Amino acid sequence: MLNQHSIEEIAEIHNLLTDIKQEYKKGIKPIILKNSSNLFNNPHTVPKLKKIQINRGLGLVAQNKNVLKKSIEEFEKITGQKPIITKSKKAIAGFKIRENMELGLTVTLRGEKMYTFLTKLIFFTFAQIRDFRGLSLRSFDKAGNFTFGLQEQLIFPEIDYDDVEQTQGFTITIVLENCLPKYRRTTMDRILNGMILFKFLRFPLNDVGYYAKYSSFSEINQIWDKKRHLKRKRWSQE
């Protein structure tokens, strides 16, 4: 028999699946303001989604018109929007790249298309990844945006397995809008805002519990600095 907690969890998932935008406005945002009033004393400081950018680098293969056309069709099926062809800004002889050469594709999603793609990504796409163990918190950048890569396009339900000649991945960047006061405009505050929002959106972050043993963000900062210093030391020795 389901307990009260299970019923509430099922109701939250149902609301996110039905309309993730309305659930953010009427469910997630008021709860964040109520439970974290010390962090968010103004409704405008609550983190929200700004846009989702999807990129695919094709390299010199983009000169093949059939490959480029196939990639454009896949982008249109997955995102519902025609991609922009990215071109090189200057010539690099060592990589056999000429100026204004077609090298990849990019799509920027906003509004309804962004929320539709995010719902599909969280509740359907991640479940299709083999041995999926969640996404790392280290994918947050200094601005609080989250970037991760997908190795193949077959995990999206719109792609037919028989139509795929070559598996190609994506780089997805979820850009958040953080209107923070001056005393909270640090990297850790932006990452914290992203973690809070992703938790309510049921984003599969795998190492959130790893940082629960630290009592303050200064300790986490020290750990990250030590790891960064060790990496630089290892590179210098090589």
Side-chain angles (χ1 to χ4, degrees):
M1 185 176 180
L2 295 175
N3 55 25
Q4 185 67 25
H5 178 71
S6 300
I7 295 173
E8 291 176 357
E9 188 174 3
I10 292 170
E12 288 176 7
I13 295 173
H14 178 266
N15 291 334
L16 287 172
L17 281 168
T18 306
D19 193 340
I20 195 170
K21 183 178 180 181
Q22 288 299 319
E23 177 62 15
Y24 170 79
K25 289 182 177 179
K26 297 181 179 180
I28 296 173
K29 190 173 181 179
I31 291 174
I32 292 176
L33 287 170
K34 183 179 179 181
N35 296 345
S36 304
S37 56
N38 57 336
L39 293 176
F40 309 103
N41 51 10
N42 189 324
H44 298 290
T45 59
V46 178
K48 62 180 179 181
L49 295 170
K50 185 178 181 181
K51 62 182 178 180
I52 296 177
Q53 190 164 359
I54 306 162
N55 304 310
R56 173 186 280 179
L58 296 172
L60 298 178
V61 184
Q63 302 311 302
N64 188 332
K65 296 299 180 183
N66 293 329
V67 174
L68 185 62
K69 183 180 178 181
K70 193 72 176 177
S71 294
I72 292 173
E73 290 176 356
E74 288 178 356
F75 263 75
E76 289 178 349
K77 289 179 182 179
I78 292 170
T79 63
Q81 186 171 311
K82 189 174 182 179
I84 297 173
I85 300 174
T86 56
K87 299 181 180 181
S88 58
K89 294 183 179 180
K90 61 181 181 180
I92 304 174
F95 294 100
K96 300 180 181 179
I97 294 175
R98 300 187 304 273
E99 190 175 355
N100 290 326
M101 180 183 284
E102 297 172 345
L103 294 176
L105 301 172
T106 181
V107 163
T108 302
L109 302 177
R110 291 182 174 89
E112 294 298 331
K113 289 184 178 179
M114 174 185 68
Y115 289 106
T116 302
F117 178 79
L118 187 67
T119 304
K120 175 175 63 178
L121 189 69
I122 295 173
F123 295 102
F124 300 101
T125 305
F126 288 142
Q128 302 299 319
I129 300 176
R130 186 181 303 171
D131 297 330
F132 181 66
R133 298 180 182 179
L135 302 171
S136 176
L137 281 177
R138 298 186 185 184
S139 298
F140 280 104
D141 59 14
K142 291 183 178 180
N145 305 323
F146 193 81
T147 303
F148 60 96
L150 298 176
Q151 293 183 350
E152 56 184 22
Q153 70 272 45
L154 293 171
I155 58 178
F156 289 95
E158 296 88 354
I159 303 299
D160 189 0
Y161 184 85
D162 297 329
D163 295 337
V164 175
E165 298 177 359
Q166 182 182 3
T167 56
Q168 293 175 323
F170 304 91
T171 301
I172 300 175
T173 301
I174 300 175
V175 181
L176 303 180
E177 188 173 337
N178 290 307
C179 299
L180 297 173
K182 288 184 179 180
Y183 64 90
R184 286 195 62 226
R185 290 180 184 174
T186 62
T187 301
M188 287 307 303
D189 287 317
R190 295 189 181 99
I191 293 175
L192 175 64
N193 283 4
M195 287 170 56
I196 292 172
L197 180 61
F198 283 174
K199 181 182 177 183
F200 279 99
L201 293 176
R202 299 197 171 270
F203 218 81
L205 299 174
N206 65 348
D207 48 4
V208 175
Y210 174 80
Y211 299 98
K213 59 185 177 182
Y214 300 106
S215 59
S216 63
F217 289 115
S218 60
E219 293 184 22
I220 299 175
N221 266 328
Q222 291 175 4
I223 296 297
W224 283 15
D225 289 338
K226 286 181 181 178
K227 290 181 178 180
R228 198 176 299 116
H229 177 71
L230 288 173
K231 284 183 179 179
R232 289 175 181 171
K233 189 176 180 181
R234 198 178 301 122
W235 290 338
S236 63
Q237 289 175 353
E238 291 176 357

